[in-house]
């Protein structure tokens, strides 16, 4: 899980458009499966929002507002579950949460123009 977390953070550091859609989909599917199988309601909620994000990304008409809201929601959910993580994962989970929220807010700001 630590390797997957590092890969996710690395992929998002350069911005959303630098991450190929196929890679983003593979990454979210891997997280989604782990979270769905976790048996923890908080993680299953994140998995459902990831499914929503995947649908938004593959719908054919990308909505900056919808994708921005989804990323912001995922950031908030990730921050909320960081207390469940071991200390070595917690800092990176919080960094991921901040990154997701930042990208979400950037998309929302762009959509409002």
């Amino acid at each position: 899980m630590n390797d997957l977390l590092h890969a996710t953070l690395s992929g998002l550091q350069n911005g959303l458009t630098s991450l190929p859609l196929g890679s983003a989909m593979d990454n979210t599917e891997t997280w989604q499966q782990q979270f769905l199988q976790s048996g923890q309601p908080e993680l299953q909620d994140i998995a459902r929002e990831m499914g929503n994000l995947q649908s938004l990304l593959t719908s054919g008409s990308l909505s900056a507002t919808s994708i921005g809201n989804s990323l912001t929601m995922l950031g908030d959910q990730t921050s909320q579950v960081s207390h469940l993580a071991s200390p070595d994962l917690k800092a990176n989970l919080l960094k991921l949460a901040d990154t997701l929220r930042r990208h979400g807010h950037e998309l929302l700001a762009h959509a409002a123009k």
Side-chain angles (χ1 to χ4, degrees):
M1 184 145 145
N2 207 3
D3 290 342
L4 181 58
L5 181 56
H6 283 291
T8 302
L9 275 169
S10 295
L12 290 172
Q13 292 299 329
N14 296 321
L16 294 176
T17 57
S18 68
L19 189 63
L21 184 58
S23 295
M25 296 301 281
D26 289 347
N27 189 286
T28 56
E29 281 183 28
T30 301
W31 280 112
Q32 188 178 29
Q33 290 306 312
Q34 286 189 14
F35 289 168
L36 284 173
Q37 295 169 3
S38 71
Q40 294 180 298
E42 301 98 335
L43 297 179
Q44 291 170 333
D45 288 344
I46 292 174
R48 282 189 280 282
E49 187 56 39
M50 286 179 165
N52 178 51
L53 179 60
Q54 289 172 329
S55 295
L56 293 170
L57 293 173
T58 58
S59 70
S61 63
L62 299 177
S63 164
T65 301
S66 297
I67 294 169
N69 284 330
S70 182
L71 289 171
T72 302
M73 170 70 75
L74 284 168
D76 290 345
Q77 290 173 320
T78 300
S79 179
Q80 289 169 5
V81 300
S82 66
H83 72 278
L84 300 173
S86 61
D88 61 319
L89 292 177
K90 187 172 183 172
N92 280 333
L93 281 174
L94 291 172
K95 187 185 293 186
L96 176 61
D98 289 343
T99 301
L100 289 167
R101 285 191 291 238
R102 181 171 42 86
H103 287 311
H105 291 303
E106 287 170 1
L107 278 174
L108 292 170
H110 176 74
K113 290 181 181 177

